[in-house]
Amino acid sequence: MSTLQHFGKGTLRVVKNYTKGYSDTQAKVRDATSNDPWGPSGTQMNEIAQMSYNQNDFVEIVEMLDKRLNDKGKNWRHVFKSLTLIDYLLHAGSENVVAYFRKNLYLIKTLKEFQYLDEYGKDQGANVRQKAKDITNLLSDESRLREERRTRANMRERLGGSSRN
Amino acid sequence: YPTRPVDKDKAEQELVVNIKKATSPEESAPKQKHVRKCIVYTWDYHSSISFWTGLRVQPILADEVQTFKALITVHKVLQEGHPVTLKEAHGQTGWLETCARTVGHESPKGYGTLIRAYVQFILAKLRFHRLRPEFNGLFEYEEYVTLKGVDDPNEGYEIISDLMGLQDQIDGFQRMIFAHFRGSANNECRISALVPLVKESWGIYRFITSMLRAMHRRTTDTEALEPLRTRFSSQHYNLRKFYYECSNLKYLTGLINVPKLGQDPPNLLDRGGA
C-alpha cells in the first residue's frame, strides 16, 4: 500500500470501507473508481477482471459499479473511472460482464449527455460523454467486441501470462 | 424484474423528485441527470406509467417554462426510454393536449407558441410510432426493418413518405425555436429543446438514406422513385442548414456532436453507407 493512501481521502475511504461493511471485492472496486485524480491502474483493473470470473465477486463488482455510475456530477471521476473499468472488463473480464452491460446498455447510453462544469468552469463532463459513446458503440458491435476479446486473450497467452480458468 | 440491484419503493419516490427537478421553474435546460433517471426508471421496471402519473400530479401547467421543460423531458424519455414508453404514451395524448390548451397566447416569456408546436410534433411522432411499432424512439438503424420495407415497394414508399413527413415537422419546429431566441437573454432553455431534435432528425435522415438506397437497388423502375428523390434532396439542404446553425451554439455543441452533412445530397444509386 502506498503511503499516499494513508492521507486525506484515502484514509476516509478505508474507514468507510470498514464502517459500511464493504467486502474486499467491493473495496477494490471503490478504490479503482475513487475520486483520486489518477488511475485506475492496470494492476487494479486486471485484478478485478480476474475476479469477475467468480460468480460471487461478479455480483459484488457490478453492484458497486452500478452505484458509481449513477453518482452525481461533482463525483464525475467516479463515473468516468467506472466507465474506464467497464471498458477494461468488457475486454478482459468474464462473459457475464458483457452479458450484463449489454442487457443494461441504457445505463451507459444515457451518460452520453452527462454534464458537469467544475469550479473553474472546465467541462469535465466531456470525458464521461466520450467514454460513454465509445462503450455504447463497442457493445452495439458484437463482432468487434468478439474480435477485441480474442486478440487480447491471445496476447496474454503469448506474453506467457497465466491462462484464466 | 430489473437485473440491477434496485429497490422499487425507493425508485418510485426518487422518480417523483426527479420529475419535479427536471421541470423546475428556472428558465434553464431540464437537468440531464434528472431526465436520465426518468429514462433509466422505464428500463428498470419496463413501465412508464409512474413517469406519466408523476408528470400529471406536478403543478407545472400554471407556468410556461415548466410546461416547456416537461415537454422536453417527455420527448427525451420517448426517445430513449424502454420501448413500452412509446406504447403507453398513446394513453397520454389527453394530457399533452391539455399542455397546449392551458398556455395563453400572450405568455410573458414567449413560450406559448413553442409549447403548442411541441405538442403538435410529439402527437405526430406518437401517431407514426403507433402505425410503425418496429421503429424505436430515435429511429436507430436496424437492418431488418429496411429490408422488410424493400420487399414490398409500396410499403417501402409509404414508410419513407411518413418518415419524411415527420422530418418536415422537425424542420418547421426547429425554425420556430430559432425564431424565438431572445437577443439579450440566455437561450439555454430553448436551445435544450434542439438537442433531441438534432438526434431524432439524424436518425430519420440515416434511415431514409439507407432505405432509399436499398429500394433503388431492388427496383428497375427508378422513375417511380423520382418524387422521393426530389423530396430527399430538399430535406438534405434543410437539414444541412439546421445543423450548421446548431453548430454555432456553444451550449449545444458542448452536449452533443452535431452531424455535418455534405454540400450535396448523397447519391442514392451508389452503394456507400449512409
Side-chain angles (χ1 to χ4, degrees), chain B residues 9-19 37:
Chain B
D9 287 339
K10 198 168 154 231
E12 294 281 347
Q13 284 168 15
E14 284 177 357
L15 183 66
V16 173
V17 176
N18 286 315
I19 293 171
K37 289 283 175 64

Side-chain angles (χ1 to χ4, degrees), chain A residues 100-130:
Chain A
Y100 179 87
F101 283 106
R102 188 164 280 148
K103 190 157 197 301
N104 295 296
L105 179 59
Y106 57 94
L107 285 177
I108 295 171
K109 215 174 174 180
T110 42
L111 290 172
K112 290 203 281 188
E113 284 176 48
F114 185 91
Q115 268 175 295
Y116 185 67
L117 292 181
D118 69 13
E119 63 266 45
Y120 309 105
K122 185 167 171 1
D123 178 13
Q124 301 290 8
N127 299 314
V128 173
R129 294 196 293 271
Q130 188 54 47

Side-chain angles (χ1 to χ4, degrees), chain B residues 97-110:
Chain B
E97 281 158 357
T98 308
C99 289
R101 243 194 335 267
T102 311
V103 64
H105 280 265
E106 293 297 317
S107 56
K109 288 176 181 159

Side-chain angles (χ1 to χ4, degrees), chain B:
Chain B
Y1 224 8
T3 50
R4 297 202 305 127
V6 280
D7 170 343
K8 176 118 197 207
D9 287 339
K10 198 168 154 231
E12 294 281 347
Q13 284 168 15
E14 284 177 357
L15 183 66
V16 173
V17 176
N18 286 315
I19 293 171
K20 190 175 169 170
K21 291 190 170 170
T23 58
S24 68
E26 281 84 33
E27 196 175 352
S28 61
K31 279 231 174 95
Q32 175 64 12
K33 62 177 165 185
H34 303 305
V35 178
R36 175 174 182 268
K37 289 283 175 64
C38 297
I39 294 170
V40 168
Y41 178 93
T42 66
W43 285 96
D44 280 344
Y45 297 101
H46 295 200
S47 165
S48 64
I49 299 295
S50 298
F51 168 67
W52 295 107
T53 312
L55 274 176
R56 271 189 271 112
V57 299
Q58 293 291 331
I60 41 186
L61 296 183
D63 182 285
E64 53 179 314
V65 171
Q66 286 183 276
T67 308
F68 193 65
K69 284 167 80 169
L71 292 172
I72 297 172
T73 307
V74 164
H75 191 193
K76 289 183 144 189
V77 174
L78 289 175
Q79 285 186 334
E80 296 185 64
H82 186 276
V84 76
T85 312
L86 283 171
K87 291 201 189 78
E88 289 170 349
H90 299 311
Q92 306 295 331
T93 49
W95 180 78
L96 288 164
E97 281 158 357
T98 308
C99 289
R101 243 194 335 267
T102 311
V103 64
H105 280 265
E106 293 297 317
S107 56
K109 288 176 181 159
Y111 284 91
T113 317
L114 294 178
I115 288 168
R116 278 184 293 275
Y118 212 161
V119 169
Q120 285 316 306
F121 169 69
I122 291 175
L123 291 175
K125 176 176 170 62
L126 290 178
R127 275 194 298 277
F128 179 93
H129 287 292
R130 198 208 301 257
L131 280 173
R132 314 213 175 272
E134 64 273 29
F135 285 90
N136 78 12
L138 272 176
F139 301 87
E140 281 159 322
Y141 185 80
E142 296 274 2
E143 192 71 38
Y144 74 93
V145 189
T146 319
L147 294 174
K148 192 176 143 226
V150 176
D151 280 342
D152 176 352
N154 290 322
E155 170 79 3
Y157 199 100
E158 261 183 55
I159 293 178
I160 294 176
S161 302
D162 288 354
L163 282 168
M164 287 178 163
L166 214 49
Q167 192 77 304
D168 282 342
Q169 292 235 16
I170 293 178
D171 193 55
F173 183 39
Q174 62 87 4
R175 282 170 202 252
M176 186 187 280
I177 294 174
F178 274 99
H180 279 73
F181 278 3
R182 299 206 160 170
S184 55
N186 98 35
N187 288 303
E188 184 187 303
C189 184
R190 277 169 272 255
I191 293 174
S192 67
L194 294 171
V195 173
L197 292 175
V198 168
K199 289 170 135 184
E200 189 150 339
S201 60
W202 176 238
I204 294 175
Y205 177 81
R206 294 218 312 165
F207 212 102
I208 292 178
T209 309
S210 78
M211 196 155 171
L212 271 176
R213 276 211 173 105
M215 284 183 71
H216 278 88
R217 273 201 298 275
R218 292 278 181 106
T219 182
T220 45
D221 187 8
T222 52
E223 204 49 40
L225 297 173
E226 174 58 28
L228 290 184
R229 279 198 300 276
T230 310
R231 200 167 169 201
F232 175 73
S233 170
S234 91
Q235 289 198 338
H236 173 92
Y237 292 113
N238 288 339
L239 204 56
R240 187 172 188 273
K241 184 157 178 280
F242 172 36
Y243 292 162
Y244 174 74
E245 279 164 0
C246 285
S247 69
N248 292 320
L249 301 170
K250 194 167 168 286
Y251 175 75
L252 193 145
T253 54
L255 279 183
I256 51 168
N257 294 330
V258 180
K260 208 163 179 266
L261 296 187
Q263 172 72 50
D264 293 311
N267 181 0
L268 298 169
L269 297 166
D270 76 19
R271 297 176 168 239

